[in-house]
């Protein structure tokens, strides 16, 4: 497949690039600073673009079978500042997808993007108020935009929990449609970035979970 990958210089994005190349795909890595991506491969093309400018994205999306995004921003302490990174970027990406006539889009979000009174106390009353609230809220707004305003986009939102840089066990990635994996044991509330990459490539190749939000975790 011919893939465009956004956020390719980030810790998750580089894993998606490596996994895609290992599977024999042709990869266009769309980055802001090409010096940060040191990966070399005959099937890898590194290009620069502004993710908030749809016109700069269009040439790099044209002719692609799918666009995968690992874009993200850091948490805001005490959730003081409103975050619009995810909605601002996805609106630009969708505009570029439409102009490039690409309909398949796979992006990263997170567990707990929506409020649920049944979620653990530490999530609703510690992590969200102090650290992750604005980021998770804006990820949820991004998913709402895709659902409500993008009927022509065949998206999958991939929702991992706490991310790690550990090695994959090679076991199948756990997945479940919704906010979290309800049957996961405590030790499963993590996901290594390579497993995120594996799942994103799996759903792209198999054309699965269209217009769905899928919670995942390492197996």
């Amino acid at each position: 497949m011919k893939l465009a990958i956004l956020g390719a210089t980030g810790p998750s994005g580089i894993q998606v690039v490596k996994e895609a190349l290992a599977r024999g795909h042709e990869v266009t890595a769309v980055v802001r600073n090409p010096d940060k991506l040191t990966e070399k491969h005959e099937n890898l093309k590194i290009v620069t673009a502004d993710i908030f400018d749809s016109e700069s994205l269009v040439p790099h999306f044209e002719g692609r079978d799918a666009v995968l995004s690992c874009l993200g921003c850091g948490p805001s302490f005490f959730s003081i500042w409103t975050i619009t990174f995810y909605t601002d970027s996805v609106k630009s990406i969708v505009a570029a997808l439409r102009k490039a006539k690409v309909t398949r889009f796979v992006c990263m979000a997170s567990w707990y993007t929506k409020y649920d009174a049944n979620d653990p106390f530490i999530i609703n009353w510690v992590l969200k108020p102090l650290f992750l609230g604005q980021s998770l809220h804006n990820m949820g707004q991004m998913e709402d935009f895709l659902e409500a305003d993008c009927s022509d986009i065949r998206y999958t939102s991939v929702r991992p929990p706490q991310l790690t840089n550990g090695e994959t066990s090679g076991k199948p990635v756990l997945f479940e449609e919704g906010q979290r994996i309800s049957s996961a044991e405590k030790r499963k509330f993590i996901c290594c970035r390579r497993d995120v990459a594996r799942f994103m490539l799996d759903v792209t190749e198999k054309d699965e979970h269209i217009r769905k939000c899928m919670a995942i975790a390492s197996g």
Side-chain angles (χ1 to χ4, degrees):
M1 300 180 74
K2 295 181 178 180
L3 307 174
I5 299 177
L6 301 166
T9 58
S12 298
I14 186 58
Q15 294 301 325
V16 175
V17 169
K18 290 180 177 179
E19 183 72 19
L21 292 172
R23 297 187 185 202
H25 298 302
E26 182 180 316
V27 174
T28 299
V30 184
V31 302
R32 182 176 59 180
N33 183 355
D35 294 335
K36 290 185 177 181
L37 187 57
T38 58
E39 192 76 11
K40 304 294 182 184
H41 196 283
E42 60 181 3
N43 286 336
L44 174 62
K45 180 182 179 182
I46 302 172
V47 299
T48 59
D50 180 355
I51 59 170
F52 302 110
D53 178 3
S54 62
E55 292 299 330
S56 75
L57 294 172
V58 172
H60 310 309
F61 288 1
E62 289 176 337
R64 303 296 97 182
D65 298 302
V67 172
L68 287 73
S69 173
C70 293
L71 293 170
C73 65
S76 57
F77 189 60
F78 288 113
S79 293
I80 293 173
W81 308 113
T82 298
I83 291 175
T84 61
F85 174 87
Y86 296 97
T87 43
D88 290 344
S89 60
V90 79
K91 289 175 183 177
S92 173
I93 292 165
V94 167
L97 288 169
R98 287 169 173 155
K99 291 179 181 179
K101 301 188 184 326
V102 178
T103 62
R104 188 68 171 116
F105 177 53
V106 180
C107 62
M108 267 185 67
S110 175
W111 285 23
Y112 305 120
T113 57
K114 305 293 175 61
Y115 175 77
D116 185 337
N118 295 318
D119 285 341
F121 176 88
I122 193 172
I123 297 295
N124 284 338
W125 299 104
V126 179
L127 290 181
K128 283 188 174 181
L130 296 182
F131 300 104
L132 301 176
Q134 289 295 333
S135 292
L136 293 174
H137 179 64
N138 196 227
M139 287 180 189
Q141 291 176 316
M142 172 185 72
E143 293 170 335
D144 290 343
F145 168 75
L146 289 169
E147 180 181 5
D149 298 312
C150 304
S151 59
D152 55 327
I153 302 300
R154 302 170 64 255
Y155 72 87
T156 304
S157 179
V158 178
R159 294 168 161 170
Q162 180 179 348
L163 292 166
T164 73
N165 294 318
E167 293 295 326
T168 175
S169 68
K171 296 179 181 179
V173 178
L174 304 175
F175 63 90
E176 179 178 329
E177 185 177 1
Q179 287 288 305
R180 60 193 178 280
I181 296 180
S182 57
S183 60
E185 300 173 8
K186 185 175 182 180
R187 64 185 177 86
K188 301 296 185 184
F189 280 42
I190 61 172
C191 193
C192 74
R193 298 179 193 277
R194 193 60 182 240
D195 283 343
V196 176
R198 290 170 58 202
F199 187 79
M200 291 181 74
L201 267 297
D202 284 348
V203 299
T204 302
E205 292 172 348
K206 298 174 184 177
D207 210 24
E208 294 180 332
H209 310 305
I210 304 300
R211 297 188 57 78
K212 292 183 179 180
C213 299
M214 305 300 298
I216 67 170
S218 290

